[in-house]
Amino acid sequence: MSVRRLTPRECERLQGFPDDYTRIAWRNKPATACPDGPRYKALGNSMAVPVMRWIGERIQSTLNTQIKNQKASTACTASGNHQRGMRGSAMADNPQHVSTTVLRSYYDRMYAFGTNSTDTLSPSERDAS
């Protein structure tokens, strides 16, 4: 019994890329003449877009929770109901706020290549949810 090898197009679909995403001009030949070997190599060196999206969303969710908890803690501190903690602006001194900004930028760039997926939300739609 033998197992059929996946085609480059099937590999692209499994990893969340558009069809023929790895079919590019190769060694001064047109994209239509691109052999399968370099395509398999490119796919083997890539990361699955849906998995990266899931990881990014989990990181974003965790950072948002930490920021909310810190804001609540800062509000208690400012009202005098809690021991004096941070000095100055909590957001300016908060490295997690910077991380959230960097992650948001990466998250937006990750979807900039324009998949045909119906579950991809625009930045304004993500902010609204």
Side-chain angles (χ1 to χ4, degrees), residues 11-109:
C11 293
E12 290 166 343
R13 289 177 180 175
L14 284 171
Q15 290 193 331
F17 293 108
D19 287 354
D20 296 325
Y21 187 72
T22 58
R23 182 173 280 194
I24 58 171
W26 186 76
R27 293 197 179 179
N28 298 324
K29 296 179 184 175
T32 55
C34 182
D36 290 345
R39 295 178 71 187
Y40 283 119
K41 186 175 181 180
L43 289 162
N45 289 329
S46 66
M47 293 182 270
V49 175
V51 173
M52 293 297 101
R53 178 181 184 183
W54 181 83
I55 291 170
E57 288 172 348
R58 292 295 301 257
I59 292 170
Q60 183 68 49
S61 173
T62 301
L63 289 173
N64 287 341
T65 302
Q66 289 176 350
I67 289 170
K68 285 178 187 176
N69 292 341
Q70 188 173 12
K71 283 182 181 179
S73 174
T74 303
C76 290
T77 301
S79 66
N81 295 334
H82 198 21
Q83 288 182 339
R84 193 79 176 139
M86 286 198 268
R87 295 182 181 179
S89 169
M91 292 305 282
D93 299 332
N94 184 1
Q96 292 162 340
H97 174 67
V98 173
S99 298
T100 303
T101 304
V102 170
L103 183 61
R104 172 68 69 178
S105 173
Y106 173 75
Y107 185 78
D108 290 340
R109 280 182 293 172

